[in-house]
Amino acid sequence: MASREPLTRQDVTDVAELALLNLSDDDLDRYTGQLDAVFDLASKLDQFDVSEVPPTSHPFGLVNVFRADSPPSSVGIDGTDDNVRQEALASGPDVEDNQFKVPPALGESP
Amino acid sequence: MSDAQMPTAAEIAADVRTGATTAIDVVERHLALIASSDTEIHAFHTVAEEAARSAAAGVDEAVAAGRDPGPLAGVPVAIKDNMCTRGIPTTCSSKILENWVPPYDATVVTRLREAGAIVIGKTNLDEFAMGSSTENSAFGPTRNPVDPTRVPGGSSGGSAAAVAAGFAPLSLGSDTGGSIRQPAALCGVVGMKPTYGSVSRYGLVAFASSLDQIGPFSTSVAESALAFDVLAGPDGRDSTSIPQPHQPVLPVLGEGVEGLRIGIINELSGRAGGDIAEGFESEVVAQAEAAADALTAAGAKVDEVSIPSAVAGLSAYYMIAPAEASSNLARYDGVRYGLRHDGPNTASMMAASRTAGFGDEVKRRIMVGTYALSAGYYDAFYGKAQRIRTLMITEFDKVYEDFDLLLSPTSPCVAFPFGAKADPITMYYNDVCTIPSNLTGHPAISVPFGTGEAGLPVGVQILGPMLAEGAIYRAAEVLEQAAAKLAGASANEGGQ
């Protein structure tokens, strides 16, 4: 990584597309430098040889935690399934027939 | 802030339980102070006046009926606005959740309610807890009650300021890289980040799941311990929760530090070969050294100790935390809750919603994380940071064979003026001393210890191995008493 290439506007354009973020030209100018600075900070890790060290993804190495196979109320709300459903749906920006509604996934709305 | 001294959590609970005062009186007194002073401080997004009054009435009814409402009877608690409160908005200081009202309580909120505490409101934070000053809040920053021209620290700046201003004797924060301890230091209050897994995170809006931990703010060490004993313990709703029962810490308070071995971490102490390290203020370094002297005077055996990988914490953190955030924040897509901006198809609707809903710092971290996890860069950035994390855990564990506790400044500097750290990397350096405990999962506390530049509060950090909260609180209490003694001595000198 000592020879790390600086991030380009194209790199940031690509990563923004993956992250579902729209960036303006001004955004791109600003973020390209700022993101590159973060990866410069990360390059300081090169002073440590950790090739033989295993990675840690969780501080105490938990593996699996099982609970009894008896479903509790889904979001901790007392009441009927319908009450629970209505509370969850109440947060939805667009709801129809007890379902969340979105624009077409394929093609475009007319 | 206030002329009248506000009572401590323990005093309130004792008086409410015996009927010497009522929960509703306590709540009204705090609501009045919030109404008169929070327009300037902006600690709160939401003051839950009606919910607080109704909960207080419930506590008073229990007392009248001869039932014990619990160890926090009638105690107002301010909750960081990234923890779910049923029926009370939870915004994460983000436009993307501006109007979201959770249908359930976080486990910590349930535990507080069951202990008789009153949720008095929801506090400001850096958007999605990403920041060290609350300047990244979409709804405006919080001002430091000690000096309103300066930041309160972050990301839990609203919760730290609420306690410092007397708006509530207790508040909750979350700490992913120092977001409880650093604002506690900057506002002159006590802030505890417990062992990873000791406090349930069910209902905490996720930022970086392998690092996030909830803990209390208070004006005293004893109140922090009181709150921690209420909050801690296994929770079936959080699969990362430690399954063993919580060992209460209140009973060990007052045992002192006689015989404890405490190490000053060279790499985090701000001393580089005798000189003050870059970014550290000399007054802060001097206070941490004075804290070491106080612990020695109280009977601890204090020595310097080196942990070489501690310097890598910041770099590793700013790969791991954004990587996890980029995954966690993928859920904000305008479908099931939160802000939606329309588009002709699902993907464009999602992108338009996320673009309008997230602020600059959140977008930066999502993009950093997405890049660090992408094919071709995963091993070089994210994988490497995970290996550094293992190295740090190994080195800390080794040091804890010879030491019971470790010591460092909490923050390299005192509270800074608004806008002083506009460059993101400069801001990130605020967390240099606090990040290692998040990467290792170990507990750490910040205790006020004297003042630095411009008479502003300095915080000293005490770190310990997994589940060493008891020893941490004992040492914190010794520092609290020593700080009070030193402050009294210097006040006397000033008066002569």
Side-chain angles (χ1 to χ4, degrees):
Chain A
M1 259 195 303
S3 59
R4 185 180 74 84
E5 294 287 322
L7 256 70
T8 63
R9 279 171 64 95
Q10 190 57 49
D11 290 330
V12 179
T13 305
D14 294 345
V15 87
E17 195 183 332
L18 285 172
L20 289 178
L21 295 169
N22 302 326
L23 300 187
S24 67
D25 277 350
D26 283 353
D27 289 339
L28 271 175
D29 287 338
R30 195 172 72 252
Y31 287 137
T32 301
Q34 289 176 340
L35 265 54
D36 194 58
V38 177
F39 287 99
D40 259 354
L41 186 66
S43 299
K44 292 191 177 174
L45 298 179
D46 288 348
Q47 63 184 283
F48 294 89
D49 178 9
V50 284
S51 50
E52 302 298 315
V53 179
T56 291
S57 57
H58 180 282
F60 305 139
L62 278 183
V63 186
N64 282 318
V65 176
F66 297 106
R67 64 163 170 76
D69 186 18
S70 52
S73 165
S74 57
V75 287
I77 302 167
D78 294 329
T80 64
D81 284 352
D82 191 54
N83 285 346
V84 174
R85 183 185 300 122
Q86 292 313 319
E87 287 227 32
L89 286 167
S91 302
D94 194 1
V95 171
E96 191 177 302
D97 294 338
N98 281 339
Q99 296 170 76
F100 297 114
K101 191 178 170 189
V102 292
L106 299 173
E108 297 193 345
S109 51
Chain B
M1 274 306 297
S2 57
D3 294 336
Q5 182 74 34
M6 295 302 259
T8 66
E11 288 165 351
I12 291 170
D15 285 354
V16 168
R17 283 166 122 174
T18 58
T21 188
T22 61
I24 194 73
D25 275 354
V26 172
V27 163
E28 293 297 350
R29 199 171 158 197
H30 286 84
L31 287 175
L33 182 60
I34 293 168
S36 66
S37 301
D38 199 43
T39 42
E40 182 188 15
I41 300 301
H42 187 218
F44 287 97
H45 282 325
T46 305
V47 181
E49 296 181 32
E50 289 320 307
R53 288 188 176 110
S54 154
V59 168
D60 290 335
E61 277 168 31
V63 174
R67 283 176 281 131
D68 181 3
L72 293 177
V75 175
V77 183
I79 311 285
K80 188 178 184 180
D81 209 17
N82 64 348
M83 296 176 210
C84 290
T85 41
R86 177 167 164 79
I88 303 172
T90 297
T91 68
C92 293
S93 291
S94 181
K95 285 183 189 162
I96 213 158
L97 285 176
E98 187 166 7
N99 297 308
W100 186 56
V101 180
Y104 67 103
D105 277 333
T107 294
V108 286
V109 172
T110 305
R111 292 211 170 145
L112 287 171
R113 292 191 203 279
E114 286 170 357
I118 314 288
V119 173
I120 199 150
K122 301 297 290 293
T123 59
N124 197 13
L125 62 148
D126 288 289
E127 185 177 3
F128 283 104
M130 297 177 190
S132 308
S133 68
T134 74
E135 291 171 292
N136 293 334
S137 168
F139 311 122
T142 296
R143 295 175 178 279
N144 192 321
V146 182
D147 175 355
T149 68
R150 294 175 185 251
V151 304
S155 65
S156 314
S159 283
V163 166
F167 298 155
L170 292 175
S171 64
L172 295 190
S174 63
D175 190 314
T176 305
S179 281
I180 293 173
R181 292 161 285 159
Q182 184 258 11
L186 270 50
C187 290
V189 298
V190 177
M192 176 65 158
K193 184 205 86 86
T195 303
Y196 182 87
S198 61
V199 175
S200 166
R201 299 176 304 163
Y202 176 74
L204 170 69
V205 176
F207 160 17
S209 306
S210 79
L211 306 165
D212 298 338
Q213 187 55 219
I214 294 173
F217 289 94
S218 57
T219 52
S220 71
V221 172
E223 288 169 282
S224 182
L226 175 67
F228 177 56
D229 279 346
V230 167
L231 298 170
D235 178 17
R237 291 184 186 276
D238 176 358
S239 62
T240 59
S241 147
I242 295 171
Q244 286 77 27
H246 169 65
Q247 295 296 318
V249 292
L250 264 181
V252 305
L253 278 188
E255 287 186 9
V257 292
E258 183 77 49
L260 285 188
R261 302 158 302 166
I262 301 176
I264 308 170
I265 309 170
N266 280 334
E267 287 78 3
L268 303 180
S269 70
R271 259 290 169 219
D275 299 327
I276 300 297
E278 195 185 339
F280 281 82
E281 292 174 357
S282 57
E283 296 95 332
V284 169
V285 173
Q287 291 293 7
E289 289 165 357
D293 292 343
L295 290 165
T296 304
K301 186 178 180 315
V302 182
D303 265 319
E304 290 184 19
V305 61
S306 178
I307 304 176
S309 64
V311 297
L314 196 72
S315 296
Y317 176 86
Y318 277 99
M319 290 291 106
I320 291 170
E324 295 187 19
S326 72
S327 169
N328 274 325
L329 271 62
R331 71 189 56 163
Y332 303 101
D333 56 11
V335 175
R336 290 152 300 155
Y337 44 74
L339 182 76
R340 175 184 292 191
H341 274 225
D342 279 325
N345 58 37
T346 306
S348 61
M349 176 276 286
M350 289 176 172
S353 303
R354 290 164 63 80
T355 301
F358 291 137
D360 260 7
E361 180 63 21
V362 173
K363 287 177 183 167
R364 265 194 293 277
R365 297 210 196 179
I366 289 174
M367 289 191 284
V368 166
T370 305
Y371 188 82
L373 289 175
S374 59
Y377 299 103
Y378 183 98
D379 285 336
F381 292 117
Y382 181 66
K384 177 121 194 180
Q386 285 188 306
R387 291 170 200 276
I388 295 286
R389 191 173 184 182
T390 309
L391 182 67
M392 282 184 70
I393 292 172
T394 310
E395 288 189 2
F396 269 91
D397 283 348
K398 182 97 183 93
V399 163
Y400 283 127
E401 289 173 9
D402 297 322
F403 292 91
D404 300 295
L405 299 170
L406 300 172
L407 185 76
S408 81
T410 304
S411 159
C413 61
V414 296
F416 44 92
F418 290 95
K421 302 197 176 186
D423 168 55
I425 303 288
T426 309
M427 187 68 89
Y428 295 171
Y429 271 96
N430 280 297
D431 301 330
V432 66
C433 299
T434 46
I435 277 173
S437 307
N438 298 88
L439 290 170
T440 59
H442 295 154
I445 199 169
S446 179
V447 196
F449 198 88
T451 55
E453 189 231 321
L456 291 160
V458 169
V460 168
Q461 179 178 228
I462 303 163
L463 309 84
M466 184 183 176
L467 297 174
E469 280 87 351
I472 287 178
Y473 275 121
R474 285 163 56 195
E477 200 181 31
V478 165
L479 289 186
E480 181 178 55
Q481 289 159 357
K485 218 170 170 179
L486 289 169
S490 74
N492 282 342
E493 274 171 31
Q496 282 164 1

